[in-house]
Amino acid sequence: MTIIEDAPAIATPAPEIGNARARREDRHLITGRTTWVDNMVVPGMVHLAILRSPMAHATITSIDPSEAKTRPGVLAVFTGQDFADTQGNLPCAWPVTPDMVNPGAPSLAVTQVNHVGEAVAVVAARTKAAAQDALEAIDVEYEPLPAIMNMEDALRDDSPLVHPNTTSNRSYTWAFEAGEAGTGQPIQPALDNAEVTVSRRFLQQRLIPAFMEPRSTLVQPQGDGVLVHSSTQIPHILRTMLALTLGIDEQKVRVVAPDVGGGFGGKIPVTPEEVITTLVARKLNKPAKYTESRSESLMSAHHGRDQIQDITITAKRDGTVTGLDVHLFADMGAYLRLVGPGVPVLGAFMFPAIYKFPAYRFVCEGVFTTKTATDAYRGAGRPEATFAIERIMDELAAELGMDPMELRRKNWITHEEFPFTMVAGLTYDTGNYEAATDKALELMGWDELRAEQQQRRESKDPIQLGLGISTFTEMCGLAPSRVLGSLAYGAGGWEAASVRMLATGKVEVVTGASAHGQGHETAFSQIVADKLGVKWEDVEVIHGDTQSSPKGLDTYGSRSLAVGGIAIVKASEKVVAKAKTIAAHMLEASEDDLEFEAGTFSVKGSPGSGVSIGEVAFATFMAHDLPDGVEPSLDSDAVYDPENFSFPHGTHLCAVDIDTETGMVKIRKYVCVDDVGTPVNPLIIEGQVHGGLAQGIAQALFEEAVFDDDGNLTTGTFVDYTLPSAADLPSFTTDRTETASTTNPLGVKGVGEAGTIASTPAVVNAVVDALRPFGVNDIQMPATPERVWRAIHGAQKSERAENGTNAYGGSSTATSDGGN
């Protein structure tokens, strides 16, 4: 057979997996060629503005929109009553227990508001300014109800109810007892027989995702259906949920997530604004767009964390841990959002972390309050768990008079013990905590810093040095479907991909993972380039549109590479298998005699003769001489559902200088060594770790969403809600160790949330380590200068009252307590 001479040939490329390529998707971002939803303009488009409740809890006695309707440019004003029969309730996809109470969540309040910022009316106008101006003309009368701000008070029998259609402010109680679950031992014998018991209450403050691009939605009616452009992490899930919520045939709903300026979990839920915009667009039969202001985003977009963590650890006097008992109060806010109830439940599997606890119990109570709803925020349950276990390990070490690193070494899973089934039931496939820790200690100069710390303490230096540790693991790659099903999660964990070979040898990759800053286009192109032996530049990645990418479960939980990336591998393998059949025909050889390497099919033993996959693609396109029964297409689809989570791990070390006279905390050095399996793109890994560290450190030192007693968010601007800048953070020292995952063919593990999960306890442990000589054994986050100063002076005051000594053990003289 004659091989077509003018078919395009492809040069043998260098390996791409492991290559630190700059992200290809950044070029259009930094040159201003982005497609944000708010930049989009379509003919006939109306602009929406939303009137929000100024009260945390109240009955709506009346709404009069008549004056607003007469304002210039106003086309319509709608209230909850206008959509009472059509808006349905916002979806909650995670009923964590069979008896979980879900009171329902209308997008537009109808008779009652349950948090400040809840939507009560919407104006549609010809311009955004006209819509916004008309809000002031809407007259709403409220009958105040008691604000319910404290979780424990909310659970009292005499507490007012957030929702009149419930009998309690408890949404659910979810419990896990190791002995009952078939793994490990029940907790009570460990509690009864403990040689050492340490109990602490840790507080996870509220955080706001604070993504760079505010949420925006543009809805265009299309016959009986809609085209929705939204700044969302979940175009496929949004499509399904909009169809179910509003009764639209799913095949008539198209959702597009164009450029999305960050999410951090904050763009996971189906939002009230997406439903409201769809309702108005269909009602007016006009395209409608809504973009929130930054203050609206901070006030009414969902928040994260907000837990009370009661932790008890038991151990032998030699430091061997014997049990862990966890009780959480988790603030759901006023409503249950898409996965909000399940966020603390995910943490249940991570509290034992890397340690060999024989006994374990976890109980979580989900509680309604009159605050903004909570849902996933970067890490989603796992940062909360890692914080608690790493803090309590330090407290146990202090109780035992033991070095905190030595305590960890004594109790963690050694590398020879993998795979290891831990007490919460998960099986960790691989890891090497010793290697990551040893490298981190060396990079940190740990022993030298400990020596300096001792010298400073002895010299009573006003600048005290603290050293913090976080040795962590996490479960990521949110899947498999059967495990999620056992947890009553309302979706699967699979991901879909298609790989299309074009006639010219170029490649289109369609993925259900929807990017919002992670570097999907770069990393996925590298994977396909290696699997098909084509140039990286010749691969185009298509995502974020339910029409061009009809199957997918989107992006969250560090699942893009470990699930979506493997779906792409599987589809690529099918392309190669199809091409092999045609290549054998072209080479007049048996398929069994062919080898495929670096993009070329050749006969075994004759590497000098062969055909490239590009030549096969061209021959397939021409279809002049294909084997009998072979269709003229190499295009292939795959849906991948993993058998297990992936478990990245690492060791994070932090050194802080604390000015004991002012309470100012400054991070002096931060070192982390992460193990994320086989690296696809080290540069992307570095970027993900840096971003994660910034958010984890921000929780430790800067960020907190604060409400007053009446339910008003007092940190509703970036003046009050403190996000750190680059000037507030140190230069990080990062490195990696590699233990490949055994549960996927690339050996990859997730990295998107690792920095956030690990860093918060490392920083707080460092702060407490510096303050421990003063009698301080905890500091509430964020560890602001005022809180640190008060902790020092409060502890000194208590110690002076007890025995008349100062923090260094010397005699104390009376001093002013500075307002304590």
Side-chain angles (χ1 to χ4, degrees), residues 24-236:
R24 63 164 54 167
E25 48 268 84
D26 290 347
R27 179 178 296 275
H28 83 287
L29 293 172
I30 62 178
T31 56
R33 299 176 182 176
T34 48
T35 307
W36 311 115
V37 175
D38 192 45
N39 292 344
M40 300 175 68
V41 177
V42 297
M45 183 177 75
V46 301
H47 297 263
L48 307 187
I50 293 175
L51 184 68
R52 299 184 180 277
S53 170
M55 308 191 71
H57 202 203
T59 301
I60 301 172
T61 58
S62 68
I63 302 180
D64 182 2
S66 56
E67 182 182 344
K69 291 179 179 180
T70 67
R71 291 293 181 94
V74 171
L75 300 178
V77 181
F78 300 104
T79 69
Q81 293 290 351
D82 295 312
F83 296 125
D85 297 330
T86 57
Q87 68 174 320
N89 283 297
L90 290 167
C92 174
W94 206 334
V96 293
T97 63
D99 60 351
M100 183 185 82
V101 175
N102 184 357
S107 294
L108 267 175
V110 180
T111 59
Q112 182 172 306
V113 292
N114 297 309
H115 67 89
V116 171
E118 185 167 357
V120 297
V122 56
V123 175
R126 299 190 187 281
T127 68
K128 186 174 183 179
Q132 193 68 37
D133 289 345
L135 293 180
E136 65 182 17
I138 302 174
D139 184 22
V140 185
E141 292 188 2
Y142 299 96
E143 181 66 34
L145 297 169
I148 304 161
M149 306 304 294
N150 179 281
M151 284 188 278
E152 290 177 297
D153 289 345
L155 293 178
R156 291 172 48 179
D157 291 339
D158 60 351
S159 173
L161 295 175
V162 176
H163 298 280
N165 60 339
T166 65
T167 58
S168 167
N169 291 321
R170 180 182 285 102
S171 175
Y172 66 86
T173 300
W174 192 94
F176 178 95
E177 176 79 36
E180 296 175 1
T183 59
Q185 303 165 13
I187 192 64
Q188 201 57 50
L191 296 172
D192 293 341
N193 302 316
E195 296 178 7
V196 179
T197 301
V198 177
S199 297
R200 292 286 185 271
R201 167 166 283 198
F202 300 129
L203 301 180
Q204 285 280 325
Q205 79 271 36
R206 272 192 174 233
L207 300 178
I208 300 176
F211 28 73
M212 185 173 290
E213 177 212 13
R215 298 172 304 164
S216 185
T217 302
L218 169 61
V219 179
Q220 298 168 255
Q222 295 187 333
D224 294 334
V226 288
L227 167 59
V228 179
H229 285 83
S230 184
S231 179
T232 181
Q233 297 177 224
I234 55 161
H236 298 90

Side-chain angles (χ1 to χ4, degrees), residues 422-505:
M422 41 86 75
V423 70
L426 296 178
T427 298
Y428 299 167
D429 58 332
T430 62
N432 190 328
Y433 309 137
E434 304 97 308
T437 299
D438 290 344
K439 181 177 282 192
L441 290 171
E442 181 181 356
L443 291 170
M444 189 72 172
W446 188 259
D447 292 340
E448 292 82 356
L449 287 170
R450 276 294 188 206
E452 179 186 339
Q453 180 187 62
Q454 183 60 32
Q455 186 274 327
R456 288 199 195 186
R457 289 179 176 179
E458 291 172 353
S459 66
K460 302 180 183 179
D461 193 319
I463 307 297
Q464 285 294 300
L465 174 62
L467 300 179
I469 303 166
S470 175
T471 50
F472 84 106
T473 191
E474 59 154 321
M475 54 188 283
C476 64
L478 193 59
S481 297
R482 289 183 180 180
V483 173
L484 296 178
S486 71
L487 296 172
Y489 183 69
W494 52 265
E495 193 49 84
S498 298
V499 175
R500 304 195 289 240
M501 287 294 305
L502 306 181
T504 55

Side-chain angles (χ1 to χ4, degrees), residues 371-385:
K371 302 179 195 172
T372 306
T374 58
D375 207 315
Y377 173 60
R378 196 170 189 172
R382 291 153 293 157
E384 298 93 315

